Amino acid sequence: MKVNLDSWVRENIKRLKPYSSARNEYSGSGVIYLDANENPYNNPYNRYPDPMHNRLRDALSEMKGVDKNQVFLGNGSDEGIDLLIRIFCEPKSDNIVSMEPTYGMYKVCADINDVEYRAVKLTSGFQLDLIGFGKAIDPKTKLVFLCSPNNPTGNTLNPEDIKKLLEKFPGPVVLDEAYIDFSNQQSFLNELDTYPNLVVLQTFSKAWGLAGIRFGMVYAQKEIVELLYKVKYPYNLNTVTQDLAFEFMSKKKEKDNWVEMILKEKKRLESKIEKLPMVEKNYPTNANFLMVKITEPLAVLEYLKEKKIIVRDRSRVSLCEGCLRITVGSRKENDALLNALNERKA
Ligand SMILES: *Cc1c(COP(=O)(O)O)cnc(C)c1O
């Protein structure tokens, strides 16, 4: 099954004749390359990187059990967010619909592209308000953005609600799974063939511990992946990133180990934090952070900053009033946080 993309893609993108790089036109190996004006010295960094990310996509295809042509790789998943908006949304005319509160980049990318951003408030239990989505979506809605586990609330969305949206809205529904490795819920990746309008974002920035190399994924039907490759910068993933990502991909065990340690630390941190008098509520999360409602959150934020411990202020975010978002660190880091908070109480 395929989505008829014709009515969803911007006309200029359909017409676009993409830049064809030297490495697009010839990608064999073991030959003498005199076609890209590269310097013959300083190997291997003298060479332009593979624009189609073949080695990495083969590896991910195997690891995730999806077709290689359903994998797009970007400079962080943030690149995917921006490209999707540029492919599907006509500036000043189309809109995207997302949930509130959620990750801030969807709105920032919409704003940069002059695309209207419509936020539908989550229910008090941080779940999707499907009636609200029904009202917000109109014929000019070209994309829906969802995030599960959500940032900053940390919870997973009810999968049945996500499926209902995928069935109701015929255009691309983007599901951001940046924190899926920390969650006890199934990824939607294996639903790609069931829902041709499903687009899944994942990243190496969190569970894989590689935020510094900028490496994120967009999984979608082949036709959408082709559009992403058509619009991206020719060499969006540099050689260093491609090499390091490939190297770390074979260390899945280490990643799983980190996730286990972080989840264990999270439990410990939660049990201690919940006992502090300043803590009004610790929301259950499915991610590598806590969302904690605190009396005088800004005073605590400042106090921690003086102790050189930085947490994220989410106290003015709707539905998160009074909350701080606290990333789970190493045991030592978490102990420093707990000590500081305990001292303040005293
Ligand atoms: C951290 C995060 C990302 C990661 O973005 P990258 O560009 O891949 O580093 C994406 N989505 C959400 C919701 C996040 O919290």
Side-chain angles (χ1 to χ4, degrees):
M1 194 164 64
K2 280 201 286 187
V3 148
N4 176 15
L5 281 173
D6 231 42
S7 53
W8 295 97
V9 181
R10 290 169 70 199
E11 286 303 322
N12 64 315
I13 302 298
K14 277 192 251 176
R15 282 195 309 265
L16 176 71
K17 194 175 174 307
Y19 176 74
S20 182
S21 68
R23 279 297 74 72
N24 277 126
E25 289 176 13
Y26 186 89
S27 59
S29 60
V31 298
I32 296 174
Y33 283 119
L34 301 175
D35 60 348
N37 296 345
E38 293 155 339
N39 185 323
Y41 310 111
N42 204 29
N43 212 279
Y45 302 111
N46 58 332
R47 299 294 174 195
Y48 281 104
D50 172 13
M52 298 307 291
H53 321 131
N54 284 302
R55 191 168 62 140
L56 287 169
R57 287 163 77 207
D58 283 333
L60 273 172
S61 160
E62 194 181 315
M63 184 199 295
K64 300 283 184 172
V66 299
D67 216 81
K68 177 185 182 179
N69 58 26
Q70 295 178 316
V71 185
F72 169 85
L73 303 182
N75 189 299
S77 44
D78 286 347
E79 182 182 3
I81 296 167
D82 184 55
L83 287 173
L84 288 163
I85 294 176
R86 282 158 60 200
I87 288 166
F88 291 106
C89 304
E90 203 59 57
K92 291 189 174 26
S93 143
D94 290 337
N95 65 71
I96 74 178
V97 175
S98 185
M99 48 196 241
E100 179 181 296
T102 192
Y103 187 45
M105 277 305 283
Y106 318 136
K107 181 175 187 319
V108 170
C109 287
D111 286 348
I112 289 170
N113 289 293
D114 209 356
V115 166
E116 186 193 343
Y117 181 85
R118 298 182 178 174
V120 180
K121 216 172 181 180
L122 293 172
T123 66
S124 55
F126 302 144
Q127 291 298 325
L128 293 174
D129 166 12
L130 290 179
I131 294 169
F133 269 83
K135 286 184 188 151
I137 291 170
D138 70 11
K140 292 284 188 186
T141 303
K142 294 299 167 68
L143 284 173
V144 165
F145 276 91
L146 306 176
C147 186
S148 179
N150 187 32
N151 178 3
T153 57
N155 64 298
T156 43
L157 300 173
N158 181 349
E160 293 310 313
D161 289 347
I162 298 174
K163 288 180 184 173
K164 278 183 197 152
L165 250 178
L166 281 161
E167 278 155 18
K168 249 187 164 162
F169 179 66
V173 174
V174 185
L175 177 62
D176 188 339
E177 293 190 335
Y179 299 97
I180 194 69
D181 291 277
F182 299 105
S183 159
N184 48 18
Q185 231 172 52
Q186 277 268 312
S187 163
F188 262 68
L189 257 193
N190 31 26
E191 307 282 349
L192 277 183
D193 293 327
T194 314
Y195 300 100
N197 56 337
L198 172 65
V199 179
V200 176
L201 302 180
Q202 292 188 358
T203 179
F204 270 52
S205 294
K206 308 284 157 65
W208 289 87
L210 290 171
I213 72 168
R214 311 306 303 133
F215 181 55
M217 296 83 90
V218 183
Y219 299 98
Q221 61 158 302
K222 172 171 158 273
E223 286 74 14
I224 294 178
V225 166
E226 279 167 6
L227 285 162
L228 290 161
Y229 273 101
K230 187 177 178 185
V231 173
K232 75 173 180 86
Y233 282 165
Y235 301 109
N236 64 326
L237 281 193
N238 68 68
T239 300
V240 180
T241 293
Q242 291 201 41
D243 287 353
L244 277 175
F246 188 77
E247 186 189 322
F248 277 95
M249 237 177 251
S250 61
K251 300 184 183 172
K252 188 166 174 297
K253 261 206 193 121
E254 199 158 343
K255 184 265 298 181
D256 291 338
N257 210 14
W258 288 334
V259 168
E260 203 183 304
M261 286 196 297
I262 290 166
L263 290 179
K264 221 163 124 191
E265 266 304 292
K266 179 180 155 194
K267 248 193 196 151
R268 187 179 74 94
L269 192 57
E270 281 181 315
S271 70
K272 304 231 163 149
I273 274 198
E274 280 166 3
K275 293 197 185 95
L276 295 171
M278 72 175 78
V279 171
E280 292 174 26
K281 185 174 168 78
N282 170 44
Y283 290 87
T285 77
N286 263 298
N288 64 336
F289 56 83
L290 312 187
M291 193 174 78
V292 191
K293 187 169 178 151
I294 284 182
T295 27
E296 300 186 293
L298 295 181
V300 172
L301 187 81
E302 276 312 305
Y303 164 81
L304 287 175
K305 204 187 283 179
E306 273 166 35
K307 301 249 168 192
K308 305 248 190 282
I309 299 171
I310 316 299
V311 299
R312 198 81 193 269
D313 175 25
R314 299 283 91 171
S315 64
R316 283 156 291 195
V317 169
S318 77
L319 298 180
C320 302
E321 285 83 5
C323 287
L324 299 180
R325 193 191 71 190
I326 303 172
T327 307
V328 179
S330 66
R331 186 176 183 103
K332 209 171 142 195
E333 291 168 333
N334 300 333
D335 277 339
L337 171 79
L338 287 168
N339 284 341
L341 290 176
N342 270 315
E343 269 172 38
R344 184 173 186 271
K345 176 196 68 179

